[in-house]
Amino acid sequence: GKWHMGVNCKTRHDHCHHPLNHGFGYFYGMPFTLVNECQGTDDPKLAKSLQDTYWLYTQMIILAVFTLVIGKLVNFFQVKWKIVICLAICGLLYFLSWFSSYGFTKYWNCILMRNHDITEQPMNLDKTTSNMLKEAVTFIERNKHRPFLLFVSLLHVHTPLITTEKFQGKSRHGPYGDNVEEMDWMVGKLLEVINKESLKNTTFIYFASDHGGYLEAHRGNSQLGGWNGIYKGGKGMGGWEGGIRVPGIVRWPGVLPAGIVIDEPTSLMDIYPTVVHLAGGAMPQDRVIDGHTLLPLLSGAVQRSKHEFMFHYCGVFLHAVRWHQKDSGTVWKAHYATPVFQPEASGACFRRGICPCFGEGITHHDPPLLFSLSQDPSEANPLSADTEPLFDTVVSRIGKAVEEHRRTLTPVPQQLSPYNNIWKPWLQPCCGMFPFCWCHEENNKA
């Protein structure tokens, strides 16, 4: 599925960020993320007509250049080579100026890979759902006689909402609902294979999301990014519950009790130590691991999460801290920074498209905004020293935890720096002769 960690560091073929260089034995999916340009249908009709017009003018310039070159070679007319070269350069610059706005993103970023090979560039979205499902199913079938780890990061419920025709219009909740229903069907197909191969009682399954709904994603009156219920905020907002509180569903018949609801703070960082635990491995001892194995909590061996403090970041900036107080069970949360909503009462950053992590679009709080999530999960009523007798004690304890947490951090290169976010031609994965990167696996086989 969606890897979203990139591919290369220094050359087009070093694949330093590739899954196969980070512990995985097989990969099929997108090395980058899913963007609207991959779908193409989200562009307004005006943009499509403009592209057609621009392409027509480009073809006219190409024809003019070829005519001049051929005419000069056969001495049909006299023209200086400087004029021909200048016209060709101008034509190329004209093509690049418009195509970079409309076409390059799709061809550069919307690609599928199998292991180290590009299978589709750009990817064929009509077949992506079936391809992803087929790859996951065949992976299970290939490995059914030995222990395996299958990590499926679906492209679904991520804008653009890639939904096959079979599920379009099926839900009462618009395009997002259709997409959720197709995702549900895909998960059901994977569970069917697990059951059919008699792996049901020996397979630990964990279903979760990486963040809450993307509130700013809209098409007309349709909300494309989901809904976060009573929780404030959404995707990319640092510490608000709506962006970080997601459901987790676990299945392991015969080992874990069914029908149990656990209302304890856990983290997606817990997946790593849980998998290591299941595989009989040992955790690294040369660093602080922020996750904890979920097995004792899921099996009922313990009743409380090991997470006393959880630190919620926006990029590299610490925005909020959650304190799961051991002695009372109360869950507090302190916000040190919150995004400025636009419009102010909208609950999202509609004018920006997504909330920033720093700068003018952020409000810093000193003392921090403090909420009791146990009593106010919607984070609607910030506490103060006047309304909460424990305010100073809680803020002081959380502040001390932040200091302890920061001592465990090791500085690393800033992956979100402006330089690391600009397109670099020498790192661009390409299945043809760069810059002509077009290929399709079925055509290659043919």
Side-chain angles (χ1 to χ4, degrees):
K2 183 165 72 75
W3 175 242
H4 201 161
M5 302 296 285
V7 182
N8 300 316
C9 287
K10 296 181 179 179
T11 69
R12 185 171 295 134
H13 303 291
D14 66 29
H15 289 189
C16 70
H17 296 304
H18 194 281
L20 299 194
N21 286 327
H22 290 274
F24 289 92
Y26 181 81
F27 172 66
Y28 179 83
M30 290 191 74
F32 308 126
T33 191
L34 195 60
V35 291
N36 284 339
E37 287 84 350
C38 295
Q39 192 170 33
T41 56
D42 282 346
D43 292 334
K45 292 181 179 179
L46 176 63
K48 182 67 172 65
S49 65
L50 283 174
Q51 289 183 62
D52 293 340
T53 302
Y54 291 151
W55 179 236
L56 174 63
Y57 292 159
T58 302
Q59 289 175 309
M60 292 172 62
I61 294 173
I62 293 173
L63 181 61
V65 171
F66 271 103
T67 301
L68 290 175
V69 170
I70 294 172
K72 183 170 179 60
L73 291 176
V74 298
N75 293 319
F76 187 73
F77 47 75
Q78 296 295 320
V79 61
K80 293 182 178 180
W81 279 114
K82 287 184 179 180
I83 296 176
V84 177
I85 294 172
C86 285
L87 182 60
I89 292 174
C90 290
L92 178 62
L93 292 175
Y94 172 76
F95 171 74
L96 292 176
S97 68
W98 72 263
F99 195 71
S100 61
S101 301
Y102 295 107
F104 278 158
T105 298
K106 182 172 183 176
Y107 291 96
W108 291 160
N109 294 334
C110 305
I111 65 178
L112 286 177
M113 298 183 75
R114 177 180 287 106
N115 293 327
H116 290 290
D117 300 320
I118 297 174
T119 62
E120 292 183 19
Q121 189 172 15
M123 56 196 285
N124 181 356
L125 295 184
D126 293 333
K127 296 183 178 181
T128 299
T129 297
S130 59
N131 287 345
M132 293 284 182
L133 188 57
K134 180 179 68 175
E135 290 285 337
V137 168
T138 55
F139 179 86
I140 295 171
E141 292 172 344
R142 286 199 309 272
N143 294 280
K144 62 185 178 182
H145 296 302
R146 60 178 183 175
F148 64 83
L149 168 68
L150 172 61
F151 171 45
V152 183
S153 182
L154 297 172
L155 303 184
H156 282 61
V157 292
H158 186 296
T159 54
L161 299 171
I162 299 174
T163 309
T164 58
E165 188 175 351
K166 177 182 176 182
F167 284 90
Q168 291 176 10
K170 189 174 181 180
S171 167
R172 293 179 299 165
H173 301 286
Y176 185 84
D178 296 343
N179 208 245
V180 170
E181 293 211 11
E182 184 164 55
M183 177 192 69
D184 180 67
W185 171 79
M186 293 177 72
V187 173
K189 287 294 182 183
L190 294 177
L191 295 180
E192 282 181 14
V193 177
I194 294 290
N195 296 341
K196 185 187 75 171
E197 301 295 346
S198 301
L199 299 172
K200 181 177 180 179
N201 293 332
T202 56
T203 304
F204 176 85
I205 297 173
Y206 185 21
F207 176 86
S209 177
D210 55 345
H211 55 69
Y214 179 19
L215 300 182
E216 292 87 357
H218 279 264
R219 184 196 299 145
N221 294 324
S222 297
Q223 190 167 335
L224 304 180
W227 181 60
N228 298 320
I230 68 169
Y231 303 113
K232 190 173 185 176
K235 172 185 177 180
M237 296 189 193
W240 292 120
E241 287 293 277
I244 56 181
R245 185 189 286 239
V246 296
I249 304 173
V250 177
R251 188 184 87 155
W252 195 1
V255 179
L256 301 178
I260 302 299
V261 177
I262 299 174
D263 187 19
E264 289 286 303
T266 62
S267 166
L268 292 185
M269 291 187 291
D270 296 333
I271 294 176
Y272 170 58
T274 301
V275 169
V276 171
H277 184 155
L278 289 169
M283 296 292 292
Q285 300 299 311
D286 61 343
R287 70 202 71 181
V288 174
I289 302 294
D290 294 305
H292 304 286
T293 175
L294 293 171
L295 268 297
L297 189 63
L298 295 173
S299 64
V302 300
Q303 301 301 314
R304 301 293 302 275
S305 168
K306 275 193 171 185
H307 289 283
E308 183 178 6
F309 293 95
M310 299 175 80
F311 303 91
H312 304 300
Y313 282 80
C314 187
V316 298
F317 301 95
L318 180 66
H319 273 210
V321 180
R322 180 187 312 259
W323 181 24
H324 187 213
Q325 199 171 353
K326 287 183 176 180
D327 51 357
S328 70
T330 302
V331 180
W332 307 92
K333 191 160 72 170
H335 289 262
Y336 292 97
T338 56
V340 177
F341 293 145
Q342 299 173 324
E344 187 175 344
S346 64
C349 301
F350 289 106
R351 291 175 189 163
R352 291 178 178 266
I354 193 166
C355 292
C357 295
F358 63 95
E360 295 180 356
I362 292 296
T363 300
H364 294 275
H365 304 281
D366 185 15
L369 288 179
L370 183 67
F371 297 92
S372 171
L373 296 184
S374 306
Q375 300 175 352
D376 181 22
S378 299
E379 298 174 285
N381 303 300
L383 303 173
S384 67
D386 296 330
T387 60
E388 175 54 62
L390 296 174
F391 181 87
D392 291 332
T393 303
V394 172
V395 168
S396 175
R397 181 66 187 94
I398 292 177
K400 183 179 178 182
V402 171
E403 293 177 6
E404 295 170 354
H405 163 69
R406 283 180 168 150
R407 283 198 291 268
T408 72
L409 302 179
T410 302
V412 296
Q414 173 55 274
Q415 294 299 309
L416 300 176
S417 68
Y419 175 76
N420 282 328
N421 277 272
I422 61 173
W423 179 64
K424 302 178 182 67
W426 59 92
L427 298 183
Q428 175 62 50
C430 181
C431 63
M433 181 65 71
F434 184 82
F436 304 105
C437 306
W438 285 270
C439 68
H440 194 279
E441 186 178 55
E442 292 182 2
N443 294 341
N444 293 344
K445 289 180 179 178

